[in-house]
Amino acid sequence: MNIKWKLRMAAAQREVWTGAQLRRPLAEKADLELSSASVSALFTKKPSQVKMSTLAALCTALACTPNDLIEVDTTPVERPATPAPPMAEQPRAASARGRSMPPI
C-alpha cells in the first residue's frame, strides 16, 4: 500500500509556506502547541504515524479534511503466484501378506 503525505501541498494551497506559519493556526484554531521541530518534521517528511488528535488539529488549522492531507493508493498489490509445494511421497500401506490374521 502506498501512502502519500500531502501536508505541504495542502498548506501551500492556503498560503502557509513554513512551519512557523502553521504553528500559529494550530495554536489559535485547534489549541495544539507543537514544537518548531515537530511542525518542521511534519512539513519535510512523511510521518510513519500521526495521532488522530494531531490530524484533526491539522484539518482544523488548515480548514481541510484528512483526504487533503493523506492519499492512500488502494490498488491491490499483485504478488507473483507461488508454485504449490511438491506433495510429499506418502508411505505405502503395509501389505497384509506374511502377517497372520487374528482368530475369528
Side-chain angles (χ1 to χ4, degrees), residues 69-81:
L69 302 177
I70 302 168
E71 181 178 310
V72 180
D73 180 3
T74 58
T75 305
V77 176
E78 289 192 32
R79 297 181 183 170

Side-chain angles (χ1 to χ4, degrees), residues 15-16 21 26 34 42 47 52 56 59 64 70 73 75 81 87 98 103:
E15 298 188 15
V16 174
Q21 288 178 322
L26 279 170
L34 288 178
L42 288 171
M52 294 299 285
C59 290
C64 67
I70 302 168
D73 180 3
T75 305
M87 291 187 58

Side-chain angles (χ1 to χ4, degrees), residues 45-96:
K45 59 186 174 186
K46 176 175 79 173
S48 60
Q49 59 185 353
V50 178
K51 286 183 179 180
M52 294 299 285
S53 58
T54 302
L55 182 62
L58 288 168
C59 290
T60 300
L62 295 172
C64 67
T65 68
N67 286 340
D68 296 317
L69 302 177
I70 302 168
E71 181 178 310
V72 180
D73 180 3
T74 58
T75 305
V77 176
E78 289 192 32
R79 297 181 183 170
T82 55
M87 291 187 58
E89 200 168 305
Q90 299 295 324
R92 295 184 186 201
S95 161

